């Protein structure tokens, strides 16, 4: 019985080896003359045929209104004492101060109508550093 099983196993191996011989090479398929058309994608979702609304046009922010004469006068006081600025264009409508990272003093902001004057105050002395127009 063992010999019969062994013989059957050997015969099946020989048949497998014979079947694995050379095979004819498959014929190459010719390349298509042109690429196939792209598939058309359609949607069956409700509202899919609605076109998007155009994006709203944003208007440029209006330029802030300020007294140009006072603003230009304040520019002339950069690097000068703030008391001279007060004499030339008057006191600010409001002001704020915070500890400065530039020195031992305080950074100040003097708020005029439409523009701001940045100052540096140390001890009794306060100097105009910058003048800029307020945004919007």
């Amino acid at each position: 019985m063992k010999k019969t099983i062994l013989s059957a196993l050997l015969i099946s191996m020989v048949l497998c080896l014979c079947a694995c011989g050379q095979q004819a090479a498959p014929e190459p398929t010719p390349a298509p003359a042109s690429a196939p058309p792209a598939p058309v994608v359609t949607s069956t979702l409700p509202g899919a045929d609605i076109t998007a609304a155009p994006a709203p046009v944003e208007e440029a922010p209006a330029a802030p209104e300020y007294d140009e004469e006072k603003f230009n006068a304040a520019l002339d006081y950069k690097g000068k004492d703030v008391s001279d600025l007060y004499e030339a264009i008057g006191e600010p409508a409001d002001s704020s101060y915070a500890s400065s990272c530039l020195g031992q003093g305080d950074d100040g902001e003097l708020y005029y109508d439409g523009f701001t004057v940045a100052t540096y105050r140390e001890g009794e002395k306060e100097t105009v550093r910058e003048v800029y127009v307020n945004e919007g």
Side-chain angles (χ1 to χ4, degrees), residues 56-107:
V57 177
E58 291 185 30
E59 293 182 22
E65 293 184 23
Y66 61 95
D67 185 335
E68 193 170 341
E69 192 174 311
K70 282 186 176 182
F71 176 79
N72 289 330
L75 288 172
D76 291 336
Y77 287 91
K78 286 169 80 173
K80 297 180 181 173
D81 193 83
V82 77
S83 61
D84 296 334
L85 174 75
Y86 292 158
E87 287 179 26
I89 66 170
E91 297 282 328
D94 199 6
S95 62
S96 67
Y97 290 89
S99 294
S100 177
C101 59
L102 298 175
Q104 299 297 319
D106 296 322
D107 289 326

Side-chain angles (χ1 to χ4, degrees), residues 1 6 20 30 36 46 55 85 95 114 122 124-125 132-133:
M1 173 97 167
L6 186 59
C20 292
L85 174 75
S95 62
E122 190 168 347
E124 298 296 317
K125 184 174 179 167
Y132 53 90
V133 176

Side-chain angles (χ1 to χ4, degrees), residues 41-52:
V41 178
T42 58
S43 175
T44 57
L45 296 174
D49 59 341
I50 299 173
T51 58

